[in-house]
Amino acid sequence: MRILFPALLGMTLAAVGCSSSSEVNDPTENPVIERGPKTIAVDGDPNGIWWDAESATLYMADDENNRVLRYRDGEGITKVADLPAAPADGPGLGGMVRMADGTLVVVRFGGGTAGDVVYVKPDGTSAIVPNLPPERRRIGITVTADGQLLDGYFVRNNNVNVGSVARLGLEGTEQEIVGALVKPVGVLAVNDTLYISDQIAGKVYRSPLSAPSQLVAFATLNSPDLLAVGPNDTLLTGSRDGTVLSIRQSGEVSVLAGGFQQPHGLAYDAKNKRLFIADHDGTPADGTNHTLRIIPLE
């Protein structure tokens, strides 16, 4: 695989507005596939993102405007739906998944007082999962092959983080299945294996989904973020130093691409061999420039 450095590739910047559409229509017939490298300015701040190969649609959790957006080749960025009213200090949107029936599920951080999970049905209506503890600061979420939802969170006791991963039910249940973490950010189920990135510990762990508490350290790296499946059975994650990191099944970590601001959510389109990156601007004092990046992976 060729290592790419987007900052050196003369990436074009396209300013894109968001039109509103709550229905998920079929994508434009035979669109030109944008493989990049390209930078698309977003009217918002995408964090968790999800690539749906069947509909050729990228879904994005817009943390700035408390809504879900989508990107399609030939159409650009449009709005899927607004989410239920956010806490006073902001949405704090984290990871996002799409379930088999088309329901989009997004976790909200909540800052220790208003954490929750929200979802958008295929018809565009949204709701909050009831009865979840608001002190849980949720960031990561995944869906297993058989449709189970797992989310990651931490609580802060006397300025000490206590992190967990739980089995989540949209009816309003959240049962811990993994404990003894510090700050779980990425949570990813791949086949029969669960992967968890702990940002403060600087580790990615893995365990069998049949016994998720049996964690073993899989990789050591600096400030891992949300996790995604990459090419050739790799895992991908962003780092606060502006790089996207690739993790082989041996646990070896390498830089896949660099020159970003703060890569948060990642999504790999295997058919078209391209990577989507939610690139967060962490220095708003000099002007905010949140973007969607697309880079080719050969």
Side-chain angles (χ1 to χ4, degrees), residues 50 52 54 96-105 119-120 122 141-144 146-149 168-170:
W50 177 272
D52 180 57
E54 183 177 358
M96 177 173 61
V97 297
R98 187 174 189 265
M99 303 183 72
D101 67 355
T103 298
L104 298 164
V105 187
Y119 60 90
V120 179
I141 187 168
T142 191
V143 58
T144 65
D146 61 358
Q148 295 183 68
L149 291 168
L168 172 70
L170 296 186

Side-chain angles (χ1 to χ4, degrees), residues 3 9 45 47 74 106 136 165 179 191 207-208 220 227 247 261 283:
I3 296 177
L9 290 175
D45 184 7
N47 193 1
V106 187
R136 293 180 176 177
V165 171
N191 300 320
S207 62
T220 300
L227 295 171
I247 310 171
Q261 301 175 103
T283 56

Side-chain angles (χ1 to χ4, degrees), residues 50-237:
W50 177 272
W51 174 251
D52 180 57
E54 183 177 358
S55 64
T57 302
L58 180 75
Y59 294 95
M60 302 181 284
D62 176 9
D63 184 44
E64 186 172 288
N65 300 295
N66 192 44
R67 60 185 178 175
V68 174
L69 306 174
R70 67 170 176 246
Y71 167 84
R72 282 178 174 156
D73 292 302
E75 297 180 12
I77 298 175
T78 58
K79 185 175 76 172
V80 175
D82 292 311
L83 296 175
D89 61 352
L93 302 185
M96 177 173 61
V97 297
R98 187 174 189 265
M99 303 183 72
D101 67 355
T103 298
L104 298 164
V105 187
V106 187
V107 294
R108 298 200 295 196
F109 189 69
T113 60
D116 62 16
V117 180
V118 295
Y119 60 90
V120 179
K121 295 181 179 179
D123 64 3
T125 59
S126 62
I128 298 174
V129 176
N131 305 318
L132 299 184
E135 67 274 12
R136 293 180 176 177
R137 305 168 194 240
R138 301 171 179 87
I139 303 175
I141 187 168
T142 191
V143 58
T144 65
D146 61 358
Q148 295 183 68
L149 291 168
L150 307 177
D151 68 337
Y153 61 84
F154 66 95
V155 295
R156 187 165 292 159
N157 298 324
N158 298 319
N159 292 320
V160 175
N161 287 0
V162 179
S164 304
V165 171
R167 184 172 290 109
L168 172 70
L170 296 186
E171 75 283 357
T173 59
E174 196 173 34
Q175 179 183 6
E176 180 184 294
I177 59 171
V178 178
L181 300 169
V182 185
K183 185 182 178 182
V185 175
V187 181
L188 182 65
V190 183
N191 300 320
D192 59 357
T193 302
L194 174 65
Y195 297 92
I196 304 166
S197 62
D198 192 317
Q199 195 167 72
I200 290 179
K203 300 283 187 181
V204 174
Y205 300 99
R206 69 180 175 189
S207 62
L209 277 169
S210 59
S213 63
Q214 297 179 8
L215 289 182
V216 295
F218 173 53
T220 300
L221 61 171
N222 183 39
S223 299
D225 211 280
L226 298 172
L227 295 171
V229 174
N232 303 316
D233 297 321
T234 59
L235 294 185
L236 304 178
T237 189

